[in-house]
Amino acid sequence: MESSADPRSPPSSRPQAPPKDGPMTSTRTIAPTAHLEPTLRYRKTPICLLIIYLPTLIVPWVLICIMTKRPLGSSSYYGQTGADYTNNAVGVLVAQLLKTINAVLSVPIISTLLANAAIVYAMRRRPDQKLNVQQLFALADKGWSNIPLLWSAHSRGKSSGFLWLAALLIALGAVLQPLISVLVTFEAIAATSCLDIPVTGCSRFGPTTIGYDPEPADMPRLQRDLVMQDVLGRLVTVSDLEPQPNLWPVNPDSNNWIDGYTTPPNRRIFEVYSPDFGFNPDGFFVTTLDNGTNTGVLREHAIRLNSSVHCEHISRSDFPSPCPGAQPLETRIDRSGLRLSVCAPGNASQFPFTPSRHRQDISEDLYVDMEVSRSMAYQANADNFTVHCTATTSRGYFELGNEQNHYVYGPLLDRWPDPDDIAKNFNDYRGAGAHWARPTEEDPSTSAGSSILPAQRSIGSPFNSDQDSSVPGPLMVSAEVLFGNYSLLRFITNNITGMTPVQAFEGVCEHGNIPFTQPIGIVMYGSGPESYCYDAAGKVRDVLNATEDRYTYNLDEYLTIIAATHARLFNTTDYAEYALMMSMYFANRAVLTKTALAEMPFDAREIYHSPGTIMARPSIAMPSLIIITILIFLQTLGLVVVIWLIYSVPTWAAAFDSMEVARIGKALADNDLPPLGPVTSKDEKRLTKIDGLIGIATGDKANESEVVDEEGVVRKDGKEKMNGVKLALGGEGLITRETK
């Protein structure tokens, strides 16, 4: 064996160049055995490439799968605690960046790993292993990425299991990212971030206040007279074609008349709820907020009142006498030709609900009995009747329309959500007086020490000495306004004295506030009460200037006719229900809106709206998601198998490069390889019969076959033993993990 020259040795000891005139000889210096690496060894490059590649494959898909359901760092895009919008933006950026890197690296890295695995596949690891030289050359050519080679591989004897599995892995890597780009789209959505959260959010501006909701604990302190006067004034001028802003259908999609898309005003007019038309038998409810109010990406509740009424004729003997209750409404008129009795049992000065936010239901009754003489029946176009009306009212909370419920408001809740539910899933807060605390099932008023609410003035009641009297239920309010001291009958009832017929007539026509003069849904049988007030001033002058020899108006009789025509509305139960439906709406509206106004700005609950923070969310159909996940799993599994194969045994080279192919070709016999020029099918068939596996040289192979050492030096004599095993094309010795 030749020894290398020591550069520090004297010139005389160094190898001398041959004389210029002498023959050229090839001299090769081989390092000492102690410095040579083993012939077979493991390499670090494949595992490093896999460690680099797998995160670019798996991480972006995991991020995409997570972000299809929720933003990074939050449980939902509409979570009411607010997501950190920067996390999601970073997640989208990282996913897109890694996808791009993977698309660029997939084919080169997978091909490199396959080239490393092809060396192992070409080594004899099992006794029954088969591989011919034609198949070996196909692997050396990296035929898995050569479409013409794959097309003719079977017919030309180049086909092998590794070749086709490698081609499948390359194809999977090539199409996966383009397929993901096609199937996964990024849509801009309005999500809930900390910028949208009221009170505790991360923005000093926060959401917009769009309304106020009254606190149940403050409603009993609302002054009774404010509600009575408000309801009376509205009944005088109301038209059933006039949109009512606080009227909401119980079922927003009950039929096309109130769909809110083609005819939005129909959602808010009384006519479509009338018994005659019956377009919406589910009825409506009342809130302080305008119909259709939504809270954007926030989830909040609002209080509501639902009232319905049913009237039926009963026997006069069923009329209650005396009228029951702690403080019932009772009206009796006994005039010539008319006897009218009205009874509303209960307590006309007591608020009927408790401070609880849970659903509460109450029932109220109203009895109307009228008896007229034959003459009065003719003049007033009235009949004798006795009617019983029963009203049910429910008070509770509902969820306003928002992004999460697709802007369809929810039903009346039976129970207020528990504190944990409110804290995690809603953005309900109390007012400033309660330091914006979270509302619970029952909260005390923050101004409980006062007999009236903070923003209202005490006006007292002209008909009640009790200044602390509360607003009763909506049917009782309606009875007060239609038949009690607030009605036009106060000028006619027997308990008013000291008023002449002329004064009473003037009072009714000028200050009586005759209700229901405008609704077309109430078709009166004949003229209504207002018709008898036509030219009231002229009638009064005529009576005052009358002489005994000239006929004049009988204003006292007119008063009786007005009372009869006013009460006869209840003889037709459909009209009675329609009239009470409108009056109870205004009663409920007044209680809610006036309480909220009287609480402001300290105690009323603010209702917030936020359009949301724009975030990019991946969108993919479930079948596509499953398919992509399976493909990524198969690619990952395939790469793991390739790595396992690479490290199953040590190898003599990293991959088939030109040098290794040349050395393999040199190991073939002279007539095994065709000469330069076209390769015939006969030549290729001859190569398929030659063993292409590289194994440990044994017996004659050790002396006659090509032997490859770590330095890549080829020897023919087999006598020179390097620092490693001797490998040979067609070698029969098995290569195992222990082979060095």
Side-chain angles (χ1 to χ4, degrees):
M1 179 181 296
E2 297 179 1
S3 61
S4 61
D6 187 349
R8 294 170 297 179
S9 61
S12 60
S13 63
R14 299 180 184 178
Q16 302 297 316
K20 292 183 179 180
D21 297 336
M24 296 293 294
T25 61
S26 175
T27 304
R28 172 121 183 220
T29 301
I30 300 178
T33 301
H35 293 85
L36 289 176
E37 294 182 348
T39 301
L40 301 176
R41 60 188 177 90
Y42 294 102
R43 290 163 173 80
K44 299 178 181 179
T45 302
I47 192 66
C48 292
L49 290 177
L50 185 68
I51 292 174
I52 293 172
Y53 178 77
L54 282 185
T56 68
L57 173 67
I58 298 173
V59 171
W61 184 245
V62 171
L63 291 176
I64 287 173
C65 290
I66 292 174
M67 290 187 293
T68 56
K69 300 299 182 183
R70 61 177 180 85
L72 299 180
S74 181
S75 60
S76 170
Y77 280 101
Y78 306 107
Q80 298 304 292
T81 56
D84 187 344
Y85 60 95
T86 58
N87 288 346
N88 204 68
V90 171
V92 171
L93 180 63
V94 169
Q96 295 285 48
L97 179 62
L98 291 179
K99 279 173 74 274
T100 303
I101 293 174
N102 182 265
V104 173
L105 296 181
S106 58
V107 172
I109 287 182
I110 293 175
S111 186
T112 301
L113 294 177
L114 291 172
N116 280 260
I119 286 284
V120 179
Y121 187 78
M123 298 173 71
R124 191 180 300 279
R125 294 165 289 117
R126 303 187 311 274
D128 58 345
Q129 194 172 349
K130 302 292 183 182
L131 187 74
N132 60 54
V133 171
Q134 184 77 332
Q135 293 171 327
L136 179 63
F137 284 168
L139 298 182
D141 288 341
K142 298 182 180 179
W144 49 78
S145 57
N146 188 330
I147 295 178
L149 188 151
L150 291 171
W151 185 262
S152 60
H154 184 74
S155 61
R156 298 172 64 184
K158 295 184 177 183
S159 178
S160 65
F162 183 89
L163 179 68
W164 289 109
L165 291 175
L168 182 62
L169 200 57
I170 281 287
L172 189 58
V175 304
L176 188 57
Q177 291 305 331
L179 187 63
I180 292 176
S181 298
V182 170
L183 297 180
V184 179
T185 59
F186 284 83
E187 57 181 355
I189 64 166
T192 309
S193 76
C194 61
L195 299 174
D196 306 298
I197 303 301
V199 182
T200 60
C202 60
S203 171
R204 60 176 295 185
F205 302 103
T208 305
T209 298
I210 57 173
Y212 292 89
D213 202 47
E215 286 287 352
D218 288 331
M219 291 183 183
R221 290 190 294 141
L222 181 65
Q223 294 186 74
R224 184 173 182 271
D225 195 62
L226 287 176
V227 174
M228 299 296 179
Q229 297 288 1
D230 182 83
V231 174
L232 178 61
R234 293 182 184 276
L235 290 182
V236 171
T237 60
V238 64
S239 166
D240 51 2
L241 297 178
E242 175 187 359
Q244 302 298 327
N246 306 103
L247 187 152
W248 297 54
V250 169
N251 182 358
D253 298 314
S254 57
N255 60 59
N256 292 333
W257 272 84
I258 58 161
D259 60 13
Y261 303 105
T262 57
T263 51
N266 285 351
R267 297 168 63 91
R268 306 190 300 272
I269 61 176
F270 289 125
E271 185 184 29
V272 298
Y273 301 93
S274 72
D276 274 354
F277 292 99
F279 291 132
N280 187 11
D282 298 316
F284 58 82
F285 62 89
V286 188
T287 75
T288 58
L289 306 171
D290 287 351
N291 179 293
T293 297
N294 70 78
T295 53
V297 296
L298 303 177
R299 295 184 66 190
E300 299 173 65
H301 297 92
I303 198 168
R304 68 189 249 185
L305 286 166
N306 299 37
S307 291
S308 61
V309 62
H310 174 69
C311 298
E312 61 181 356
H313 286 93
I314 61 173
S315 171
R316 179 166 284 116
S317 61
D318 293 330
F319 189 93
S321 182
C323 192
Q327 189 180 332
L329 170 71
E330 191 170 13
T331 299
R332 295 189 182 276
I333 296 178
D334 194 352
R335 299 174 65 88
S336 176
L338 171 65
R339 182 176 295 165
L340 176 65
S341 299
V342 178
C343 169
N347 191 335
S349 297
Q350 182 179 8
F351 191 67
F353 298 102
T354 70
S356 172
R357 297 185 197 272
H358 293 333
R359 174 175 176 169
Q360 300 174 53
D361 301 289
I362 64 169
S363 179
E364 300 174 279
D365 296 290
L366 175 64
Y367 297 87
V368 180
D369 176 70
M370 187 171 75
E371 185 178 0
V372 293
S373 65
R374 181 175 300 179
S375 173
M376 184 55 63
Y378 174 76
Q379 294 182 74
N381 196 17
D383 295 312
N384 299 333
F385 69 90
T386 305
V387 167
H388 174 214
C389 296
T390 302
T392 57
T393 299
S394 300
R395 193 192 75 177
Y397 283 81
F398 73 107
E399 184 177 353
L400 292 164
N402 54 67
E403 180 76 27
Q404 195 159 341
N405 60 20
H406 307 291
Y407 296 97
V408 178
Y409 50 85
L412 179 65
L413 300 177
D414 289 329
R415 300 182 62 82
W416 178 258
D418 61 63
D420 288 341
D421 194 14
I422 288 291
K424 294 178 182 178
N425 301 316
F426 297 96
N427 268 291
D428 295 295
Y429 291 90
R430 297 186 65 197
H435 305 289
W436 293 282
R438 293 289 195 157
T440 61
E441 182 268 323
E442 184 172 331
D443 295 304
S445 173
T446 57
S447 57
S450 173
S451 61
I452 61 174
L453 295 173
Q456 71 176 356
R457 296 175 59 191
S458 177
I459 60 174
S461 172
F463 307 110
N464 195 329
S465 60
D466 185 3
Q467 298 298 318
D468 297 327
S469 59
S470 299
V471 181
L475 185 60
M476 181 68 80
V477 172
S478 300
E480 283 271 18
V481 171
L482 297 177
F483 300 107
N485 289 328
Y486 291 86
S487 72
L488 61 85
L489 298 182
R490 69 182 181 271
F491 297 100
I492 306 173
T493 52
N494 297 331
N495 60 355
I496 293 182
T497 59
M499 185 177 289
T500 66
V502 172
Q503 293 171 328
F505 182 76
E506 284 185 305
V508 168
C509 293
E510 295 178 13
H511 309 292
N513 295 332
I514 300 173
F516 305 125
T517 62
Q518 301 303 312
I520 64 172
I522 300 178
V523 182
M524 305 294 292
Y525 290 109
S527 302
E530 70 282 356
S531 63
Y532 294 93
C533 288
Y534 176 75
D535 193 22
K539 292 183 175 67
V540 170
R541 286 195 303 270
D542 187 75
V543 170
L544 293 177
N545 298 327
T547 58
E548 293 183 0
D549 59 348
R550 189 167 67 88
Y551 171 80
T552 187
Y553 296 99
N554 186 348
L555 296 184
D556 191 58
E557 186 178 47
Y558 268 43
L559 292 173
T560 305
I561 296 173
I562 288 174
T565 54
H566 174 67
R568 75 177 179 187
L569 173 67
F570 279 75
N571 190 26
T572 305
T573 55
D574 283 350
Y575 297 155
E577 291 172 1
Y578 194 35
L580 291 175
M581 179 190 76
M582 289 187 280
S583 63
M584 288 192 297
Y585 162 79
F586 288 120
N588 290 332
R589 178 188 180 278
V591 169
L592 295 177
T593 58
K594 291 194 173 299
T595 301
L597 289 172
E599 290 174 323
M600 291 171 56
F602 305 107
D603 296 336
R605 274 198 328 114
E606 293 183 61
I607 301 297
Y608 302 99
H609 174 275
S610 180
T613 303
I614 300 301
M615 292 187 185
R617 180 177 69 181
S619 176
I620 182 172
M622 183 56 67
S624 301
L625 186 144
I626 294 173
I627 292 172
I628 296 296
T629 302
I630 292 174
L631 293 179
I632 290 177
F633 171 76
L634 291 177
Q635 185 181 132
T636 304
L637 181 62
L639 292 176
V640 170
V641 171
V642 167
I643 288 294
W644 172 83
L645 179 62
I646 291 173
Y647 288 99
S648 62
V649 294
T651 59
W652 56 280
F656 287 115
D657 55 20
S658 57
M659 178 62 72
E660 307 308 329
V661 173
R663 293 163 68 183
I664 292 172
K666 189 174 182 180
L668 296 172
D670 292 340
N671 61 346
D672 289 339
L673 282 177
L676 294 176
V679 178
T680 66
S681 59
K682 183 178 179 181
D683 296 329
E684 291 182 338
K685 187 175 182 180
R686 183 170 59 252
L687 292 176
T688 61
K689 297 178 180 180
I690 302 174
D691 188 357
L693 288 172
I694 297 172
I696 297 176
T698 59
D700 294 339
K701 290 281 185 181
N703 297 322
E704 299 174 1
S705 299
E706 288 291 338
V707 179
V708 183
D709 66 17
E710 175 64 18
E711 290 292 317
V713 181
V714 180
R715 296 288 182 263
K716 280 284 188 179
D717 54 13
K719 297 179 180 179
E720 192 173 25
K721 185 175 182 180
M722 306 299 294
N723 183 29
V725 298
K726 295 180 181 180
L727 304 178
L729 182 67
E732 297 178 356
L734 300 182
I735 299 175
T736 65
R737 289 182 179 274
E738 289 74 25
T739 306
K740 300 296 184 182

